Amino acid sequence: MTAAEQQNPLHRRSLLRAAAALPVAGAAVAGLEVPAQAASTAASASSASAAANGGRFDPGSPRFVLAVLPDTQYLFDADSTDPAPLREAFRHLVAERGEANIAFMTHLGDVTEHGTEDEIRRAADTFRTLHGKVPYSVLAGNHDIASGDDQRGDSAYLAAFGPARYQSMPTYRGASPDGYNTYHVLTAADRSWLILALDWRISDKGLAWAQGVLDAHPTLPAVLTTHDIAWADDDGEAQLSDNGKRLWEGLVRGNDQIFLALGGHYWPPGRTVLRNDADNDVHVHITNYQDRYYGGAGMIRTYGFDLARGVIDVETFSPWLLARDPAKRSPLEAETIELTGPADRFALDIDFDARFAGFAPVAVPKPRPASAVMPRGTVAYWRFDAAGTTAGGTAGRPVADGAVVRDLTGNGNDLAVSRLASSGPEALTWSADHHPGQPAHASLRFDGGKSPDRGAILTTAARAALNSEKFTHGYTIETFVRLPEPFEGDHSWMGILSWEGRNGDAGKTTGWSPLEPTCSLNLSPERFLQFVVYPQRQDADPTSWSHAVPVGRWMHIALVNDGRRTVMYVDGSRIARNPAQPSTGIATLGKPFVLGATQFDERFSHGFYGWIGDTRIVNRALSVREFLTPFA
């Protein structure tokens, strides 16, 4: 994992430590800019840190940051101007771009208080700290222009923050003819994202232009930024403003691409979630801190997108105040450093693939033929599509007792279906559900459980070669599993796969009980995977334990032995509790291999509860890249 992928948006606590080590950076008092030498020292130290951790934005990382800067108008207010907080915020974004993986910064308008040429000039000059280092957008707020909508014509704002400013940015794609609305396309997390920066009073012409941008980029998820979209009560509950209602009706609700809409203008901050015409969530947020100490002190909000976790982590803080010596901060500075209320620090749970499926569906990998996934040494391979069995094809259809799942290696390790106890047809059904990376697009749904015991199993024939395979040179056992959500009932110690028999009959004396089988993969009451094996050459029972595995989603499980030790992998990740005990081979007893349950004293009780997909056994250790679902 690269530094840019590490989960620590903007590393503000690292900056706190750096500030403590560099007291000169905090020597300024409120109202004065940080001395050039001190600022240079702090920026150099921060830049050096970023360089040491990569220093460049990584567009391929699944984690990236969108930085948001709201109303800075009180920092550019006639002769009260003090650009120091904004300049420090920009220094911070530049210094942290590589380590925090900052993709873009968007300003929400009201850059200045009166929109005079002098205020605009000072603000534009401050943006030079950021320019050419981090791409950004700026839009006009009501304090930046005299009046009217985006058809107002020339202004000091347009001269400084119009399209010409963005021409050199790799993200910039265009502007409306009037120049007050722009859009950017950035690449992050291996996909393109659209940023719309709309004037605070967009005209009908402007709305038509924005619709054209969306139409020209129909597969891009979009973030809409503007100055005035919503207001909130003191509890942070937001609702659309009059202008926000116009945007909602005229642009947002009918364009499923827009999943996040950001505005400033009002305080306090707040948020809400609206449902668009596609019945999907649109997150609407207000970000504005001008009413706080020092006009907001250059407060920035970071949206930490994490596509691996399916979440956006939102944080709000002032780099300018963080950079000060903690011992010299005034009380107001200390309490304004970071905002942690529910409207300022929170997480949005978003299944990005599902949210964007209506306009950018994820391409499902095509099934891979068995011949493509049987490397050297494959002993057995089972799958539940038409290549592996004739028992499937209809979702929810029971798989009858006696149905056969072929061993596609040709080694004769076919599996036959039978039910446990007095289980009915629903104990085993066919399903088209599958892990997205699984070679076959099919699985079996097991409905095992206790009180009474029930379930279904698939077993090899009495004389199958797999029953006696010892694997003394190593092995890789792989399967795909999905646990139901909700995970209802008592399913403790249910078996996923195993070999029949008693380890005591193999001469083993060290285990929990001589009556348990010589090899099994099970699920504990806490939903920990347990892989216990009695090796062929050692009198031992080395056992691997996973973390609590999730419900409601597919996972890939691999058990890899190199002839010396065994390692469990879940979704391509090596788990922590793998035994150091030597483990050579499996003390099989010539008895069947089983999918769907584990015996005790050669008797089955309850069976597996959930889905099982492709299962493969290879007589050597495979690398992670060689798994049925390759993990790079």
Side-chain angles (χ1 to χ4, degrees), residues 256-344:
D256 193 30
Q257 296 165 250
I258 302 174
F259 70 99
L260 180 62
L262 307 176
H265 190 51
Y266 302 97
W267 66 79
R271 55 191 173 110
T272 190
V273 181
L274 304 177
R275 301 289 281 184
N276 65 16
D277 288 348
D279 201 30
N280 283 321
D281 288 348
V282 179
H283 297 271
V284 179
H285 296 173
I286 311 155
T287 306
N288 185 6
Y289 305 103
Q290 69 183 92
D291 62 314
R292 301 187 72 93
Y293 171 70
Y294 220 78
M299 194 82 66
I300 59 175
R301 173 177 284 190
T302 62
Y303 285 75
F305 286 67
D306 191 332
L307 274 68
R309 293 167 49 230
V311 71
I312 301 177
D313 292 308
V314 180
E315 299 187 329
T316 306
F317 59 98
S318 168
W320 182 59
L321 297 179
L322 280 172
R324 293 180 177 275
D325 182 350
K328 297 181 180 179
R329 292 191 190 113
S330 71
L332 284 177
E333 290 173 345
E335 71 180 37
T336 311
I337 290 174
E338 183 176 15
L339 305 182
T340 57
D344 302 306

Side-chain angles (χ1 to χ4, degrees), residues 420 457 459 498 500 594 597-600 602-606:
L420 303 177
I457 56 174
T459 56
S498 61
E500 293 184 10
V594 183
T598 294
Q599 286 187 334
F600 183 78
E602 295 196 314
R603 296 179 182 178
F604 293 108
S605 55
H606 62 296

Side-chain angles (χ1 to χ4, degrees), residues 132-168:
K133 303 176 182 71
V134 178
Y136 62 90
S137 63
V138 185
L139 57 93
N142 57 302
H143 283 263
D144 297 316
I145 42 81
S147 62
D149 61 21
D150 56 16
Q151 302 305 301
R152 65 183 66 89
D154 292 340
S155 66
Y157 169 86
L158 188 62
F161 291 102
R165 171 171 285 270
Y166 313 109
Q167 291 286 349
S168 63

Side-chain angles (χ1 to χ4, degrees), residues 583-596:
S583 180
T584 305
I586 302 173
T588 54
L589 295 163
K591 297 187 176 183
F593 172 82
V594 183
L595 271 185

Side-chain angles (χ1 to χ4, degrees), residues 406-423:
R406 294 181 294 276
D407 171 14
L408 297 178
T409 65
N411 291 328
N413 298 304
D414 296 349
L415 298 174
V417 173
S418 61
R419 280 166 172 72
L420 303 177
S422 57
S423 300

Side-chain angles (χ1 to χ4, degrees), residues 552-564:
R553 80 178 197 206
W554 281 95
M555 59 183 157
H556 172 270
I557 304 166
L559 309 156
V560 181
N561 180 279
D562 62 0
R564 296 170 296 174

Side-chain angles (χ1 to χ4, degrees), residues 445-515:
R445 171 65 160 91
F446 293 75
D447 191 28
K450 299 180 180 180
S451 301
D453 288 342
R454 61 189 184 278
I457 56 174
L458 289 81
T459 56
T460 52
R463 296 185 179 181
L466 183 61
N467 302 356
S468 302
E469 178 67 47
K470 301 299 183 182
F471 299 102
T472 53
H473 296 292
Y475 54 83
T476 301
I477 303 171
E478 295 176 78
T479 192
F480 294 91
V481 170
R482 180 186 175 191
L483 302 179
E485 185 179 21
F487 192 70
E488 299 176 322
D490 180 6
H491 301 281
S492 54
W493 303 115
M494 68 180 184
I496 300 170
L497 59 82
S498 61
W499 270 266
E500 293 184 10
R502 294 178 290 230
N503 70 83
D505 294 341
K508 306 303 178 182
T509 63
T510 63
W512 169 70
S513 170
L515 303 179

Side-chain angles (χ1 to χ4, degrees), residues 8 10-22 25 42-43 45-46 49 88 91-93 95-96 317-324 326 329:
N8 191 1
L10 289 184
H11 303 269
R12 63 194 186 288
R13 293 175 179 83
S14 297
L15 185 59
L16 273 169
R17 291 192 294 269
L22 293 166
S46 194
S49 173
E88 185 60 36
R91 286 188 186 122
H92 182 67
L93 294 176
E96 294 292 331
F317 59 98
S318 168
W320 182 59
L321 297 179
L322 280 172
R324 293 180 177 275
R329 292 191 190 113

